[in-house]
PDB file of all heavy atoms in Angstrom:
ATOM      1  N   ASN U  14     169.593  56.383 249.404  1.00 94.00           N
ATOM      2  CA  ASN U  14     168.906  56.284 248.120  1.00 94.00           C
ATOM      3  C   ASN U  14     167.548  55.613 248.218  1.00 94.00           C
ATOM      4  O   ASN U  14     166.602  56.031 247.577  1.00 94.00           O
ATOM      5  CB  ASN U  14     169.765  55.518 247.107  1.00 94.00           C
ATOM      6  CG  ASN U  14     170.986  56.300 246.687  1.00 94.00           C
ATOM      7  OD1 ASN U  14     171.037  57.514 246.808  1.00 94.00           O
ATOM      8  ND2 ASN U  14     171.996  55.593 246.212  1.00 94.00           N
ATOM      9  N   ILE U  15     167.452  54.530 248.986  1.00 97.00           N
ATOM     10  CA  ILE U  15     166.224  53.743 249.007  1.00 97.00           C
ATOM     11  C   ILE U  15     166.009  53.130 250.394  1.00 97.00           C
ATOM     12  O   ILE U  15     166.950  52.702 251.041  1.00 97.00           O
ATOM     13  CB  ILE U  15     166.255  52.647 247.913  1.00 97.00           C
ATOM     14  CG1 ILE U  15     164.885  52.003 247.738  1.00 97.00           C
ATOM     15  CG2 ILE U  15     167.363  51.662 248.168  1.00 97.00           C
ATOM     16  CD1 ILE U  15     164.781  51.151 246.471  1.00 97.00           C
ATOM     17  N   SER U  16     164.742  53.133 250.817  1.00 97.00           N
ATOM     18  CA  SER U  16     164.379  52.576 252.124  1.00 97.00           C
ATOM     19  C   SER U  16     163.132  51.717 251.962  1.00 97.00           C
ATOM     20  O   SER U  16     162.172  52.126 251.309  1.00 97.00           O
ATOM     21  CB  SER U  16     164.075  53.699 253.120  1.00 97.00           C
ATOM     22  OG  SER U  16     165.155  54.587 253.233  1.00 97.00           O
ATOM     23  N   GLN U  17     163.151  50.546 252.587  1.00 98.00           N
ATOM     24  CA  GLN U  17     161.974  49.685 252.540  1.00 98.00           C
ATOM     25  C   GLN U  17     161.002  50.123 253.621  1.00 98.00           C
ATOM     26  O   GLN U  17     161.350  50.214 254.791  1.00 98.00           O
ATOM     27  CB  GLN U  17     162.378  48.228 252.739  1.00 98.00           C
ATOM     28  CG  GLN U  17     161.221  47.286 252.532  1.00 98.00           C
ATOM     29  CD  GLN U  17     161.626  45.822 252.492  1.00 98.00           C
ATOM     30  OE1 GLN U  17     162.776  45.472 252.732  1.00 98.00           O
ATOM     31  NE2 GLN U  17     160.673  44.972 252.161  1.00 98.00           N
ATOM     32  N   ILE U  18     159.742  50.377 253.218  1.00 98.00           N
ATOM     33  CA  ILE U  18     158.719  50.844 254.137  1.00 98.00           C
ATOM     34  C   ILE U  18     157.873  49.684 254.641  1.00 98.00           C
ATOM     35  O   ILE U  18     157.560  49.605 255.819  1.00 98.00           O
ATOM     36  CB  ILE U  18     157.832  51.914 253.466  1.00 98.00           C
ATOM     37  CG1 ILE U  18     158.691  53.075 252.925  1.00 98.00           C
ATOM     38  CG2 ILE U  18     156.749  52.415 254.417  1.00 98.00           C
ATOM     39  CD1 ILE U  18     159.581  53.762 253.943  1.00 98.00           C
ATOM     40  N   ASP U  19     157.486  48.793 253.759  1.00 97.00           N
ATOM     41  CA  ASP U  19     156.808  47.555 254.150  1.00 97.00           C
ATOM     42  C   ASP U  19     157.180  46.474 253.151  1.00 97.00           C
ATOM     43  O   ASP U  19     158.107  46.665 252.364  1.00 97.00           O
ATOM     44  CB  ASP U  19     155.292  47.746 254.321  1.00 97.00           C
ATOM     45  CG  ASP U  19     154.535  47.998 253.038  1.00 97.00           C
ATOM     46  OD1 ASP U  19     155.066  47.764 251.931  1.00 97.00           O
ATOM     47  OD2 ASP U  19     153.368  48.430 253.118  1.00 97.00           O
ATOM     48  N   ASP U  20     156.491  45.355 253.166  1.00 96.00           N
ATOM     49  CA  ASP U  20     156.885  44.221 252.327  1.00 96.00           C
ATOM     50  C   ASP U  20     156.969  44.553 250.847  1.00 96.00           C
ATOM     51  O   ASP U  20     157.776  43.985 250.130  1.00 96.00           O
ATOM     52  CB  ASP U  20     155.905  43.050 252.507  1.00 96.00           C
ATOM     53  CG  ASP U  20     156.015  42.419 253.879  1.00 96.00           C
ATOM     54  OD1 ASP U  20     157.027  42.654 254.574  1.00 96.00           O
ATOM     55  OD2 ASP U  20     155.084  41.692 254.262  1.00 96.00           O
ATOM     56  N   LYS U  21     156.139  45.461 250.382  1.00 97.00           N
ATOM     57  CA  LYS U  21     156.108  45.728 248.943  1.00 97.00           C
ATOM     58  C   LYS U  21     156.334  47.185 248.577  1.00 97.00           C
ATOM     59  O   LYS U  21     156.241  47.560 247.421  1.00 97.00           O
ATOM     60  CB  LYS U  21     154.783  45.254 248.351  1.00 97.00           C
ATOM     61  CG  LYS U  21     153.587  45.985 248.881  1.00 97.00           C
ATOM     62  CD  LYS U  21     152.332  45.561 248.144  1.00 97.00           C
ATOM     63  CE  LYS U  21     151.346  46.672 248.076  1.00 97.00           C
ATOM     64  NZ  LYS U  21     151.651  47.704 247.126  1.00 97.00           N
ATOM     65  N   LEU U  22     156.628  48.020 249.544  1.00 98.00           N
ATOM     66  CA  LEU U  22     156.741  49.458 249.292  1.00 98.00           C
ATOM     67  C   LEU U  22     158.113  49.981 249.683  1.00 98.00           C
ATOM     68  O   LEU U  22     158.588  49.755 250.793  1.00 98.00           O
ATOM     69  CB  LEU U  22     155.652  50.197 250.080  1.00 98.00           C
ATOM     70  CG  LEU U  22     155.581  51.712 249.903  1.00 98.00           C
ATOM     71  CD1 LEU U  22     155.351  52.090 248.447  1.00 98.00           C
ATOM     72  CD2 LEU U  22     154.478  52.279 250.791  1.00 98.00           C
ATOM     73  N   TRP U  23     158.703  50.699 248.729  1.00 98.00           N
ATOM     74  CA  TRP U  23     160.016  51.302 248.911  1.00 98.00           C
ATOM     75  C   TRP U  23     159.898  52.794 248.651  1.00 98.00           C
ATOM     76  O   TRP U  23     159.111  53.233 247.807  1.00 98.00           O
ATOM     77  CB  TRP U  23     161.014  50.694 247.927  1.00 98.00           C
ATOM     78  CG  TRP U  23     161.207  49.224 248.131  1.00 98.00           C
ATOM     79  CD1 TRP U  23     160.386  48.220 247.709  1.00 98.00           C
ATOM     80  CD2 TRP U  23     162.262  48.591 248.820  1.00 98.00           C
ATOM     81  NE1 TRP U  23     160.874  46.995 248.100  1.00 98.00           N
ATOM     82  CE2 TRP U  23     162.022  47.203 248.782  1.00 98.00           C
ATOM     83  CE3 TRP U  23     163.395  49.052 249.472  1.00 98.00           C
ATOM     84  CZ2 TRP U  23     162.882  46.274 249.357  1.00 98.00           C
ATOM     85  CZ3 TRP U  23     164.259  48.132 250.042  1.00 98.00           C
ATOM     86  CH2 TRP U  23     163.987  46.766 249.983  1.00 98.00           C
ATOM     87  N   LEU U  24     160.706  53.568 249.350  1.00 98.00           N
ATOM     88  CA  LEU U  24     160.740  55.026 249.214  1.00 98.00           C
ATOM     89  C   LEU U  24     162.172  55.422 248.907  1.00 98.00           C
ATOM     90  O   LEU U  24     163.102  54.972 249.583  1.00 98.00           O
ATOM     91  CB  LEU U  24     160.258  55.664 250.528  1.00 98.00           C
ATOM     92  CG  LEU U  24     160.378  57.177 250.694  1.00 98.00           C
ATOM     93  CD1 LEU U  24     159.641  57.927 249.602  1.00 98.00           C
ATOM     94  CD2 LEU U  24     159.852  57.568 252.078  1.00 98.00           C
ATOM     95  N   GLY U  25     162.334  56.254 247.874  1.00 97.00           N
ATOM     96  CA  GLY U  25     163.697  56.607 247.518  1.00 97.00           C
ATOM     97  C   GLY U  25     163.831  57.900 246.750  1.00 97.00           C
ATOM     98  O   GLY U  25     162.867  58.630 246.551  1.00 97.00           O
ATOM     99  N   ASN U  26     165.050  58.127 246.305  1.00 96.00           N
ATOM    100  CA  ASN U  26     165.360  59.331 245.546  1.00 96.00           C
ATOM    101  C   ASN U  26     165.567  58.979 244.067  1.00 96.00           C
ATOM    102  O   ASN U  26     165.360  57.840 243.650  1.00 96.00           O
ATOM    103  CB  ASN U  26     166.586  60.038 246.142  1.00 96.00           C
ATOM    104  CG  ASN U  26     167.837  59.192 246.112  1.00 96.00           C
ATOM    105  OD1 ASN U  26     167.958  58.217 245.360  1.00 96.00           O
ATOM    106  ND2 ASN U  26     168.814  59.542 246.937  1.00 96.00           N
ATOM    107  N   LEU U  27     165.991  59.962 243.302  1.00 94.00           N
ATOM    108  CA  LEU U  27     166.193  59.763 241.864  1.00 94.00           C
ATOM    109  C   LEU U  27     167.256  58.703 241.585  1.00 94.00           C
ATOM    110  O   LEU U  27     167.113  57.899 240.664  1.00 94.00           O
ATOM    111  CB  LEU U  27     166.564  61.086 241.197  1.00 94.00           C
ATOM    112  CG  LEU U  27     166.750  61.074 239.697  1.00 94.00           C
ATOM    113  CD1 LEU U  27     165.518  60.545 238.968  1.00 94.00           C
ATOM    114  CD2 LEU U  27     167.107  62.474 239.195  1.00 94.00           C
ATOM    115  N   ASN U  28     168.301  58.669 242.396  1.00 94.00           N
ATOM    116  CA  ASN U  28     169.342  57.644 242.196  1.00 94.00           C
ATOM    117  C   ASN U  28     168.770  56.243 242.345  1.00 94.00           C
ATOM    118  O   ASN U  28     169.153  55.329 241.613  1.00 94.00           O
ATOM    119  CB  ASN U  28     170.501  57.843 243.177  1.00 94.00           C
ATOM    120  CG  ASN U  28     171.318  59.073 242.870  1.00 94.00           C
ATOM    121  OD1 ASN U  28     171.357  59.544 241.743  1.00 94.00           O
ATOM    122  ND2 ASN U  28     171.951  59.619 243.892  1.00 94.00           N
ATOM    123  N   ALA U  29     167.860  56.055 243.279  1.00 95.00           N
ATOM    124  CA  ALA U  29     167.219  54.746 243.459  1.00 95.00           C
ATOM    125  C   ALA U  29     166.438  54.356 242.216  1.00 95.00           C
ATOM    126  O   ALA U  29     166.466  53.202 241.779  1.00 95.00           O
ATOM    127  CB  ALA U  29     166.305  54.767 244.675  1.00 95.00           C
ATOM    128  N   ALA U  30     165.741  55.317 241.629  1.00 93.00           N
ATOM    129  CA  ALA U  30     164.938  55.034 240.431  1.00 93.00           C
ATOM    130  C   ALA U  30     165.816  54.686 239.233  1.00 93.00           C
ATOM    131  O   ALA U  30     165.385  53.943 238.346  1.00 93.00           O
ATOM    132  CB  ALA U  30     164.059  56.237 240.099  1.00 93.00           C
ATOM    133  N   GLU U  31     167.026  55.184 239.215  1.00 90.00           N
ATOM    134  CA  GLU U  31     167.938  54.949 238.096  1.00 90.00           C
ATOM    135  C   GLU U  31     168.781  53.681 238.273  1.00 90.00           C
ATOM    136  O   GLU U  31     169.437  53.251 237.344  1.00 90.00           O
ATOM    137  CB  GLU U  31     168.863  56.152 237.917  1.00 90.00           C
ATOM    138  CG  GLU U  31     168.151  57.435 237.523  1.00 90.00           C
ATOM    139  CD  GLU U  31     167.662  57.409 236.087  1.00 90.00           C
ATOM    140  OE1 GLU U  31     168.357  56.853 235.218  1.00 90.00           O
ATOM    141  OE2 GLU U  31     166.578  57.970 235.836  1.00 90.00           O
ATOM    142  N   ASP U  32     168.760  53.091 239.459  1.00 91.00           N
ATOM    143  CA  ASP U  32     169.580  51.911 239.736  1.00 91.00           C
ATOM    144  C   ASP U  32     168.796  50.641 239.400  1.00 91.00           C
ATOM    145  O   ASP U  32     168.241  49.970 240.276  1.00 91.00           O
ATOM    146  CB  ASP U  32     170.022  51.917 241.196  1.00 91.00           C
ATOM    147  CG  ASP U  32     171.077  50.871 241.500  1.00 91.00           C
ATOM    148  OD1 ASP U  32     171.245  49.912 240.698  1.00 91.00           O
ATOM    149  OD2 ASP U  32     171.733  50.988 242.558  1.00 91.00           O
ATOM    150  N   ILE U  33     168.753  50.319 238.124  1.00 90.00           N
ATOM    151  CA  ILE U  33     167.945  49.210 237.628  1.00 90.00           C
ATOM    152  C   ILE U  33     168.374  47.887 238.257  1.00 90.00           C
ATOM    153  O   ILE U  33     167.534  47.063 238.632  1.00 90.00           O
ATOM    154  CB  ILE U  33     167.997  49.165 236.095  1.00 90.00           C
ATOM    155  CG1 ILE U  33     167.287  50.399 235.547  1.00 90.00           C
ATOM    156  CG2 ILE U  33     167.374  47.890 235.554  1.00 90.00           C
ATOM    157  CD1 ILE U  33     167.431  50.616 234.086  1.00 90.00           C
ATOM    158  N   LYS U  34     169.673  47.688 238.421  1.00 91.00           N
ATOM    159  CA  LYS U  34     170.162  46.448 239.019  1.00 91.00           C
ATOM    160  C   LYS U  34     169.615  46.277 240.438  1.00 91.00           C
ATOM    161  O   LYS U  34     169.145  45.201 240.813  1.00 91.00           O
ATOM    162  CB  LYS U  34     171.697  46.443 239.025  1.00 91.00           C
ATOM    163  CG  LYS U  34     172.311  45.179 239.559  1.00 91.00           C
ATOM    164  CD  LYS U  34     173.835  45.258 239.500  1.00 91.00           C
ATOM    165  CE  LYS U  34     174.433  44.023 240.129  1.00 91.00           C
ATOM    166  NZ  LYS U  34     175.892  44.119 240.213  1.00 91.00           N
ATOM    167  N   ASP U  35     169.651  47.341 241.233  1.00 93.00           N
ATOM    168  CA  ASP U  35     169.152  47.266 242.610  1.00 93.00           C
ATOM    169  C   ASP U  35     167.636  47.064 242.639  1.00 93.00           C
ATOM    170  O   ASP U  35     167.125  46.283 243.437  1.00 93.00           O
ATOM    171  CB  ASP U  35     169.532  48.536 243.386  1.00 93.00           C
ATOM    172  CG  ASP U  35     169.279  48.406 244.874  1.00 93.00           C
ATOM    173  OD1 ASP U  35     169.617  47.348 245.444  1.00 93.00           O
ATOM    174  OD2 ASP U  35     168.750  49.356 245.476  1.00 93.00           O
ATOM    175  N   LEU U  36     166.918  47.751 241.772  1.00 94.00           N
ATOM    176  CA  LEU U  36     165.460  47.582 241.707  1.00 94.00           C
ATOM    177  C   LEU U  36     165.108  46.131 241.396  1.00 94.00           C
ATOM    178  O   LEU U  36     164.241  45.543 242.045  1.00 94.00           O
ATOM    179  CB  LEU U  36     164.844  48.519 240.663  1.00 94.00           C
ATOM    180  CG  LEU U  36     164.927  50.017 240.945  1.00 94.00           C
ATOM    181  CD1 LEU U  36     164.394  50.814 239.761  1.00 94.00           C
ATOM    182  CD2 LEU U  36     164.202  50.390 242.224  1.00 94.00           C
ATOM    183  N   LYS U  37     165.796  45.571 240.422  1.00 92.00           N
ATOM    184  CA  LYS U  37     165.538  44.170 240.060  1.00 92.00           C
ATOM    185  C   LYS U  37     165.894  43.220 241.194  1.00 92.00           C
ATOM    186  O   LYS U  37     165.166  42.263 241.462  1.00 92.00           O
ATOM    187  CB  LYS U  37     166.313  43.800 238.791  1.00 92.00           C
ATOM    188  CG  LYS U  37     165.712  44.385 237.528  1.00 92.00           C
ATOM    189  CD  LYS U  37     166.496  43.929 236.314  1.00 92.00           C
ATOM    190  CE  LYS U  37     165.859  44.407 235.038  1.00 92.00           C
ATOM    191  NZ  LYS U  37     166.570  43.937 233.842  1.00 92.00           N
ATOM    192  N   SER U  38     167.004  43.497 241.890  1.00 95.00           N
ATOM    193  CA  SER U  38     167.414  42.608 242.994  1.00 95.00           C
ATOM    194  C   SER U  38     166.396  42.628 244.128  1.00 95.00           C
ATOM    195  O   SER U  38     166.261  41.640 244.860  1.00 95.00           O
ATOM    196  CB  SER U  38     168.800  42.991 243.518  1.00 95.00           C
ATOM    197  OG  SER U  38     168.742  44.170 244.301  1.00 95.00           O
ATOM    198  N   LYS U  39     165.659  43.706 244.280  1.00 96.00           N
ATOM    199  CA  LYS U  39     164.642  43.817 245.321  1.00 96.00           C
ATOM    200  C   LYS U  39     163.278  43.315 244.837  1.00 96.00           C
ATOM    201  O   LYS U  39     162.329  43.264 245.609  1.00 96.00           O
ATOM    202  CB  LYS U  39     164.525  45.269 245.783  1.00 96.00           C
ATOM    203  CG  LYS U  39     165.729  45.749 246.577  1.00 96.00           C
ATOM    204  CD  LYS U  39     165.628  47.221 246.880  1.00 96.00           C
ATOM    205  CE  LYS U  39     166.710  47.734 247.816  1.00 96.00           C
ATOM    206  NZ  LYS U  39     168.033  47.221 247.708  1.00 96.00           N
ATOM    207  N   GLY U  40     163.192  42.976 243.558  1.00 96.00           N
ATOM    208  CA  GLY U  40     161.930  42.498 243.008  1.00 96.00           C
ATOM    209  C   GLY U  40     160.925  43.590 242.720  1.00 96.00           C
ATOM    210  O   GLY U  40     159.727  43.330 242.563  1.00 96.00           O
ATOM    211  N   ILE U  41     161.391  44.815 242.640  1.00 96.00           N
ATOM    212  CA  ILE U  41     160.510  45.956 242.361  1.00 96.00           C
ATOM    213  C   ILE U  41     160.088  45.910 240.904  1.00 96.00           C
ATOM    214  O   ILE U  41     160.919  45.784 240.010  1.00 96.00           O
ATOM    215  CB  ILE U  41     161.204  47.288 242.716  1.00 96.00           C
ATOM    216  CG1 ILE U  41     161.432  47.340 244.241  1.00 96.00           C
ATOM    217  CG2 ILE U  41     160.410  48.487 242.220  1.00 96.00           C
ATOM    218  CD1 ILE U  41     162.294  48.481 244.716  1.00 96.00           C
ATOM    219  N   LYS U  42     158.785  45.992 240.677  1.00 95.00           N
ATOM    220  CA  LYS U  42     158.215  45.916 239.325  1.00 95.00           C
ATOM    221  C   LYS U  42     157.611  47.235 238.868  1.00 95.00           C
ATOM    222  O   LYS U  42     157.396  47.442 237.679  1.00 95.00           O
ATOM    223  CB  LYS U  42     157.111  44.858 239.277  1.00 95.00           C
ATOM    224  CG  LYS U  42     157.536  43.480 239.698  1.00 95.00           C
ATOM    225  CD  LYS U  42     158.164  42.753 238.584  1.00 95.00           C
ATOM    226  CE  LYS U  42     158.435  41.302 238.983  1.00 95.00           C
ATOM    227  NZ  LYS U  42     159.441  40.703 238.199  1.00 95.00           N
TER     228      LYS U  42
END
Side-chain angles (χ1 to χ4, degrees):
N14 291 338
I15 191 167
S16 304
Q17 187 170 7
I18 305 304
D19 69 15
D20 291 344
K21 64 174 211 76
L22 182 59
W23 298 79
L24 172 58
N26 62 19
L27 182 57
N28 290 335
E31 295 288 323
D32 190 342
I33 293 171
K34 183 179 176 186
D35 191 44
L36 294 175
K37 285 182 176 182
S38 75
K39 290 174 173 38
I41 294 171
K42 303 276 187 202

